[in-house]
Structures are given as structure tokens and as C-alpha cells.
């Protein structure tokens, strides 16, 4: 089927329309993956006193309205002294409150007797920059703080499950119906999140939203790959990530303009509507139709591609690839193909080292990507601008990744950028916390470098493994990648232990995997391998010489076989 693109064009007008329509929906995936950055934000808060407040004290400041004190209250360890209209005096901490027995002297410091009470009347929140979040909606603070922190990891776990489930279903039912189902699910579940009535319904609906978002993102990579020829496939598949990055910037922009979490969620979910209105027109891929024996439908898709791309010399399916006959007696056929499993990725010791290295790179790429993205709002300065920059720097990173892969090679692009990510993480740890602008700039550089590495590993993995286990290798790597995304939020929460703990962990992993990458074979300009034995010889002198000879012979053969030019 690969020869189809030599006839109809590798990236003609038809493929361009298909690509941009389906890639547009990846923006919604980026939106929902990072939306919780502002949905679950925790503003300044204090325990609510039992009555109306008439006077508030904070160190040397005094006011009659507690909303005027938030700008001066900078430490969570500090307390507020409030006097109520009934004369009672309370000391308010974040998670408890004390009632003073002396109600005559309203002073900040007090040495007399106090009675401890829990925050049974709820909490007071700083609404200066935030109208509401799930934290303020359901009081996810103090002993319920862990629930707010659990919202992003549970979403990422849904991403993991969705990638496994929908990737398999797409191979059985086709790419188009799964894209319909998951994009519709993104809109319905995205809106439903805004109308959840408690924390647990919120987590459940967000989990389902994560599954369909991940499912779409997995299937759309396959979908565009099967419609784009090999000459444009690297750039096309790589820039699906760029659309995802646009979604991250949209989160920052909408978060800045809309400060009520459920309105913010509805507006973000509307990004799916344009795709839902046109997705029914997208055709099934000819590769999947051919694998299912639906040859007449393949002919129809080819005819449509020829019409859109203005191909002057139409071709038939039989001219491109052999068509299986229906009158073959399959009962007498003896199956000669072996069913492969995960153990085949550990065929030899060297092959096992390759697999472990590739899995660690997948894990590190995902871990670093989400740590830099989620932690961007904690860098100081404007948190909305920080997240916007974290998404914006990705777009040029994928251009650099494509150029590097074509000019330097896969390994020679991946390894330096992983090691550079580690160096940047170490640099961040040396910058004084007062230099927030410098920290933000260096962190964006770290996001850039890890995005380059994260983009390269998709194609590199496919080229490191033979045809018979290629899907298995990429699928297993993707699963390890999702594990990294599940771990990333917990890694960010370790800032409570030490402010630079996330950078330390990412730096160690990036340096380790960068060194391991140098031990992998280069695949630039080499033909894809078909057997495990061929793949196992990659990197050896004998294997490299054989593959170069094969590439030269294949190139000569193709030049002689296909002298025609196509107007695409």
C-alpha cells in the first residue's frame, strides 16, 4: 500500500484537508490534559469565624473587611485576629481557630487562655484573582487537600487506560468510528465536568474525559500516518504535537480571561464543536480497509484522493499491491506466522538492553514534559503567562526535532537534548529564588529541550524494531510514557518537601537516559527491518553494511520502477 502515495502524492490537497481537520481536534486534547492547572488551583484561605466580623488584625495592619487583608497576608503560618460583632475575639489559622477568653483587649499578640475549635463553619478564600475553583467549591483544603492533588493523577491514569483500550479497538473497528466516538465523548464529558455536583462525580467524569481524549490522540497519530506518504510523514506526525501545544496555550488564555472554574471548563470544551460538525465527512484509511479485505471501499478512497489531488493517470488497487482472492481454501492453510508478545522485545541480552533503554526514554520524556508544564505555574511571576510560554516553546521545538532527525540522525538529536535537559535542571537549582525571571527563562529552555526529545522518540522507536513487533514496541513505549504522566503530578507536589525536587528527579532521569541513548544504533537513512534477527544486528558493522547495501539497492530499484511524475 505504500506505493499508493507514489501515484496520488505524498501530501496533496486531499491529505492536507484530512490532516488539518483531524489534527485540529488534538488542540482539545492539549486543553483537557492541562485544564486542571487552573481548575484545581488553591487560593489563599483562612478558617471562617462563627459570626460577622467587625475588625481584623494582621501584625501592624488593621481593617474592617477581611478582603482587604489578603494582599498583606503572605505567610500561611501567620494567623489573623478578628473581632466579631458580638464582641468575641478569634485567632484564625488555615486549618483551625482559637477563641480568646479575654474579649476586652484586641491585640495581635496574646498570652492568655484560648480554646481550640475546628473549621466547622468552612473557610474564607481570597477571590482577588479567582472567583472559584474545585478547591473553593468543595473545601479541598487541610485534611482534604490530598483530594485536590489527586485530581490530576487520576486524570492521567484515565489517559493510560484510554490509550490501551481505544488503540486496540481502533485496530478492530477502524480509525474513523473511534475518532467519531472519542471526539463526541470529549465534548459531552467536557461539558458534563462543569455540572458535576461533588468532588467524586467530578473525578469520575474527568476520568472518562481522560480516556476519550487519550483515545483520540492515539488514533489520530495512526490516522494521519496512514494518509500521508513517507516523504511527509515525519513532519506530519511530529506536528500533531504542535497542535497539542496550541491547546496548552489556549488553557492559559482562557484561564486568564475566565476565573470561574465551571464557566472556564465549558468554554474550553467548545473547542471540540468544529471537529464534531465535520468529522462525519472523514473517510476510513485505505490501509485499514485493505487489511479488512474491503477492496471496493479502498478503490473509492483512492478515486477520491486522485480527484482532489488532480492525478492525471488513475491507478487501480491491483497495480499497487496484491489483492487476496476470496476462493482460497483457508481450512487447508497451515499458519506459518508466529504470534508475538512482549517477551520478543527481550529476544537477546542486547535487544533487552535496547528495550529497557527505549522504555526509560519514553518515561523520562513524559515525566519531564508534564513536570515542566505543571510546575510552570509555580515559578513566580504571572502564572498564566508562564503556562502560555510553556506551550508556545513546544511549537518551534518540533521543527528543530524534524530538522535534527533529518540532518544529524535520530540518536544524535535525542541524546544531546536529553543531556541538555539534565544540565538545565541543574542550572535551575543554582539560581536564587529571588531571580524569578531568570528561572522562568531557563525553565522554558528546559521545556523546549525535553519537547524535542519527547517528539523524537516516537519515530525512533518505530525504526529500532522490526515490522513483526513494531506496533508492540511503540504500544509498550506509549504505555510506559503514560506511567510517566501519572507520576509527574506527584513529582510536582514534592516541591513541598524541597522546592527543587522536581528538577532534581527529572535531571537525574534525563542524564541517565541521555547516556543510554548514545549506546543505541543510528537509524537515519536505513531501511526498516522485518525480522528480529535483522533488528538485533543493528549497530554492528556487519548489520550496518548489509542495511546500507539494502537501502542502495532499494533506491535503485524504485528509481527504475517508478519513473512517472505526479501532479499533486
Amino acid at each position: 500500500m505504500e506505493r499508493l502515495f507514489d501515484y496520488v502524492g505524498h501530501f496533496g490537497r486531499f491529505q492536507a484537508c484530512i490532516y488539518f481537520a483531524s489534527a485540529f481536534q488534538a488542540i482539545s486534547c492539549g486543553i483537557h490534559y492541562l485544564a486542571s492547572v487552573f481548575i484545581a488551583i488553591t487560593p489563599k484561605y483562612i478558617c471562617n469565624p462563627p459570626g460577622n466580623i467587625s475588625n481584623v488584625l494582621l501584625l501592624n495592619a488593621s481593617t474592617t473587611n477581611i478582603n482587604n487583608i489578603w494582599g498583606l497576608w503572605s505567610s500561611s503560618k501567620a494567623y489573623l485576629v478578628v473581632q466579631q460583632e458580638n464582641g468575641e475575639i478569634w485567632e484564625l489559622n488555615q486549618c483551625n481557630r482559637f477563641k480568646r477568653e479575654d474579649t476586652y483587649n484586641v491585640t495581635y499578640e496574646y498570652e492568655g487562655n484560648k480554646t481550640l475549635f475546628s473549621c466547622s463553619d468552612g473557610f474564607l478564600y481570597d477571590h482577588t484573582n479567582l472567583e472559584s475553583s474545585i478547591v473553593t467549591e468543595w473545601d479541598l483544603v487541610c485534611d482534604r487537600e490530598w483530594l485536590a492533588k489527586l485530581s490530576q493523577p487520576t486524570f492521567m491514569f484515565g489517559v493510560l487506560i484510554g490509550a490501551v483500550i481505544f488503540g486496540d479497538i481502533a485496530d478492530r473497528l477502524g480509525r474513523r468510528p473511534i475518532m467519531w466516538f472519542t471526539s463526541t465523548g470529549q465534548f459531552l464529558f467536557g461539558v458534563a465536568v462543569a455540572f458535576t455536583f461533588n468532588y467524586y462525580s467530578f473525578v469520575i467524569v474527568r476520568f472518562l474525559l481522560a480516556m476519550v481524549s487519550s483515545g483520540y490522540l492515539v488514533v489520530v497519530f495512526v490516522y494521519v500516518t496512514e494518509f500521508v506518504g513517507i516523504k511527509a510523514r515525519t513532519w506530519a506526525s511530529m506536528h500533531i504535537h504542535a497542535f497539542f501545544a496550541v491547546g496548552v496555550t489556549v488553557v492559559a488564555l482562557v484561564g486568564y480571561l475566565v476565573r470561574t472554574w465551571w464557566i472556564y471548563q465549558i468554554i474550553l470544551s467548545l473547542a471540540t464543536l468544529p471537529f464534531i460538525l465535520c468529522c462525519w465527512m472523514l473517510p476510513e484509511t485505505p490501509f485499514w480497509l485493505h487489511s479488512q479485505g474491503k477492496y471496493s471501499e479502498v478503490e473509492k478512497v483512492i478515486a477520491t484522493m486522485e480527484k482532489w489531488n488532480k492525478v492525471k493517470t488513475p491507478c487501480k488497487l491491483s497495480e499497487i499491491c496484491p489483492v487476496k482472492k476470496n476462493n482460497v481454501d483457508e481450512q487447508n492453510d497451515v499458519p506459518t506466522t508466529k504470534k508475538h508478545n512482549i517477551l520478543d522485545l527481550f529476544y537477546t541480552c542486547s535487544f533487552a538492553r535496547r528495550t529497557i533503554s527505549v522504555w526509560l526514554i519514553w518515561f523520562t520524556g513524559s515525566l519531564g514534559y508534564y513536570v515542566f508544564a505543571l510546575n510552570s505555574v509555580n515559578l513566580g511571576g504571572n502564572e498564566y503567562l508562564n503556562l502560555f510560554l510553556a506551550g508556545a516553546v513546544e511549537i518551534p521545538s518540533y521543527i528543530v526535532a524534524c530538522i535534527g532527525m533529518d540532518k544529524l540522525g535520530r540518536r544524535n538529536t535525542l541524546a544531546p537534548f536529553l543531556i541538555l535537559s539534565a544540565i538545565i535542571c541543574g542550572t535551575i537549582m543554582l539560581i536564587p529564588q529571588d531571580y524569578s525571571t531568570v528561572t522562568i527563562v531557563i525553565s522554558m529552555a528546559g521545556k523546549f529541550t525535553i519537547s524535542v526529545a519527547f517528539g523524537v522518540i516516537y519515530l525512533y522507536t518505530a525504526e529500532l524494531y522490526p515490522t513483526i513487533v513494531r506496533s508492540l514496541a511503540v504500544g509498550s513505549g506509549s504505555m510506559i510514557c503514560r506511567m510517566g504522566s501519572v507520576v509527574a503530578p506527584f513529582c510536582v507536589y514534592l516541591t513541598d518537601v524541597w522546592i527543587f525536587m522536581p528538577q532534581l528527579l527529572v535531571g537525574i532521569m534525563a542524564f541517565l537516559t541521555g547516556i543510554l541513548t548514545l549506546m543505541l544504533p543510528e537509524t537515519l537513512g536505513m531501511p526498516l527491518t522485518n525480522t528480529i534477527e535483522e533488528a538485533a544486528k543493528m549497530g554492528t558493522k556487519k548489520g550496518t553494511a548489509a542495511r546500507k547495501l539494502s537501502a542502495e539497492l532499494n533506491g535503485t530499484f524504485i528509481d527504475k520502477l517508478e519513473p512517472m511524475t505526479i501532479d499533486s
Side-chain angles (χ1 to χ4, degrees):
M1 285 298 292
E2 279 288 351
R3 292 192 62 209
L4 167 66
F5 302 111
D6 294 317
Y7 285 91
V8 301
H10 288 255
F11 196 77
R13 185 167 58 173
F14 178 85
Q15 288 105 317
C17 293
I18 291 291
Y19 177 77
F20 288 108
S22 54
F24 175 84
Q25 179 61 9
I27 295 175
S28 292
C29 298
I31 285 172
H32 293 304
Y33 273 47
L34 275 299
S36 67
V37 170
F38 299 123
I39 286 179
I41 194 169
T42 302
K44 296 176 183 178
Y45 65 93
I46 203 77
C47 201
N48 193 19
N52 295 326
I53 299 173
S54 61
N55 190 25
V56 182
L57 295 181
L58 173 63
L59 295 177
N60 297 324
S62 176
T63 181
T64 58
N65 189 341
I66 197 169
N67 292 325
N68 298 331
I69 211 75
W70 293 117
L72 302 173
W73 191 63
S74 58
S75 174
S76 60
K77 296 181 179 180
Y79 61 87
L80 297 181
V81 177
V82 299
Q83 185 178 31
Q84 298 185 166
E85 293 178 351
N86 61 5
E88 292 181 352
I89 299 176
W90 291 79
E91 286 184 14
L92 307 179
N93 293 300
Q94 283 195 322
C95 298
N96 52 53
R97 55 189 180 173
F98 294 91
K99 181 181 179 182
R100 293 182 179 179
E101 294 186 2
D102 183 0
T103 59
Y104 296 101
N105 298 316
V106 185
T107 58
Y108 189 78
E109 300 292 341
Y110 178 72
E111 300 294 337
N113 295 327
K114 296 181 289 186
T115 305
L116 175 64
F117 290 89
S118 63
C119 298
S120 57
D121 294 295
F123 300 85
L124 295 172
Y125 296 97
D126 178 14
H127 295 291
T128 305
N129 298 316
L130 179 73
E131 289 296 326
S132 70
S133 69
I134 63 168
V135 174
T136 64
E137 185 88 6
W138 299 309
D139 287 336
L140 304 181
V141 292
C142 297
D143 58 341
R144 288 166 56 85
E145 181 182 6
W146 66 276
L147 293 174
K149 292 185 175 181
L150 195 62
S151 62
Q152 185 66 15
T154 53
F155 182 91
M156 289 302 182
F157 185 66
V159 168
L160 169 62
I161 301 299
V164 174
I165 293 176
F166 288 108
D168 181 64
I169 296 176
D171 286 336
R172 300 172 186 270
L173 302 181
R175 286 69 165 109
R176 184 175 65 170
I178 299 305
M179 290 173 68
W180 288 358
F181 178 82
T182 53
S183 57
T184 303
Q186 272 189 296
F187 176 72
L188 295 177
F189 291 132
V191 174
V193 167
F195 295 96
T196 49
F197 51 89
N198 59 29
Y199 171 80
Y200 299 101
S201 62
F202 170 84
V203 169
I204 292 171
V205 177
R206 280 263 298 170
F207 182 86
L208 297 174
L209 175 61
M211 288 182 61
V212 294
S213 297
S214 174
Y216 183 87
L217 201 58
V218 168
V219 176
V220 75
F221 270 104
V222 178
Y223 187 76
V224 299
T225 298
E226 293 180 352
F227 265 116
V228 177
I230 193 170
K231 292 181 180 179
R233 190 169 293 161
T234 299
W235 285 79
S237 61
M238 181 70 71
H239 282 83
I240 294 291
H241 295 289
F243 284 89
F244 184 94
V246 171
V248 178
T249 63
V250 170
V251 169
L253 289 173
V254 176
Y256 177 76
L257 297 172
V258 182
R259 305 299 176 90
T260 302
W261 79 269
W262 61 272
I263 299 176
Y264 159 88
Q265 177 65 31
I266 291 175
I267 293 175
L268 291 178
S269 300
L270 293 178
T272 305
L273 267 181
F275 180 77
I276 293 178
L277 296 176
C278 71
C279 67
W280 60 274
M281 296 185 291
L282 297 178
E284 184 56 80
T285 70
F287 280 80
W288 186 85
L289 292 172
H290 185 269
S291 69
Q292 301 299 309
K294 300 180 179 181
Y295 305 120
S296 61
E297 295 185 36
V298 176
E299 294 277 11
K300 293 178 181 178
V301 175
I302 293 176
T304 304
M305 295 175 73
E306 291 172 343
K307 181 179 179 181
W308 278 66
N309 292 350
K310 298 180 180 180
V311 176
K312 297 178 180 179
T313 307
C315 64
K316 294 182 179 180
L317 179 61
S318 57
E319 297 175 355
I320 300 171
C321 59
V323 177
K324 296 180 181 178
K325 297 181 179 180
N326 294 326
N327 58 359
V328 177
D329 183 9
E330 296 180 356
Q331 294 181 353
N332 297 327
D333 290 346
V334 179
T336 58
T337 58
K338 173 189 172 183
K339 290 186 178 180
H340 296 276
N341 54 51
I342 198 73
L343 296 178
D344 290 306
L345 301 180
F346 299 85
Y347 176 71
T348 63
C349 290
S350 61
F351 215 61
R353 286 195 298 270
R354 180 185 305 176
T355 298
I356 293 172
S357 298
V358 168
W359 282 0
L360 285 173
I361 296 168
W362 276 94
F363 181 87
T364 302
S366 180
L367 177 69
Y369 179 93
Y370 286 106
V371 164
F372 277 113
L374 295 172
N375 197 48
S376 63
V377 297
N378 301 323
L379 298 176
N382 190 305
E383 56 194 10
Y384 301 99
L385 178 61
N386 292 349
L387 184 62
F388 179 86
L389 293 175
V393 297
E394 281 188 60
I395 299 174
S397 75
Y398 300 128
I399 298 175
V400 171
C402 288
I403 296 173
M405 284 192 292
D406 290 341
K407 301 297 183 181
L408 302 177
R410 283 62 162 137
R411 179 188 62 190
N412 297 335
T413 300
L414 179 59
F417 276 98
L418 282 171
I419 295 173
L420 185 57
S421 297
I423 294 172
I424 289 174
C425 287
T427 303
I428 293 173
M429 296 167 61
L430 299 176
I431 300 173
Q433 295 185 32
D434 295 337
Y435 292 75
S436 60
T437 303
V438 178
T439 302
I440 292 170
V441 172
I442 301 299
S443 295
M444 294 305 118
K447 182 65 161 32
F448 179 92
T449 55
I450 203 68
S451 296
V452 172
F454 197 24
V456 171
I457 190 57
Y458 279 84
L459 181 61
Y460 194 27
T461 301
E463 294 177 341
L464 283 172
Y465 291 88
T467 302
I468 55 176
V469 293
R470 185 168 294 123
S471 294
L472 183 63
V474 175
S476 64
S478 181
M479 181 176 292
I480 298 297
C481 161
R482 308 304 171 190
M483 293 180 182
S485 65
V486 172
V487 173
F490 293 107
C491 190
V492 173
Y493 298 150
L494 290 176
T495 52
D496 294 338
V497 178
W498 186 42
I499 190 66
F500 295 122
M501 186 63 77
Q503 288 83 0
L504 176 63
L505 296 177
V506 172
I508 291 173
M509 290 299 300
F511 183 78
L512 173 63
T513 52
I515 298 301
L516 291 175
T517 301
L518 293 173
M519 302 178 187
L520 296 174
E522 180 55 72
T523 60
L524 177 63
M526 299 295 180
L528 297 177
T529 56
N530 294 315
T531 66
I532 294 179
E533 289 77 11
E534 290 176 359
K537 293 178 182 178
M538 291 172 62
T540 63
K541 292 183 179 180
K542 184 177 180 180
T544 302
R547 295 180 73 217
K548 284 184 177 179
L549 178 62
S550 175
E552 292 172 359
L553 293 176
N554 286 338
T556 304
F557 177 72
I558 291 173
D559 290 339
K560 292 180 179 180
L561 183 65
E562 300 164 1
M564 63 185 299
T565 58
I566 303 298
D567 183 14
S568 59

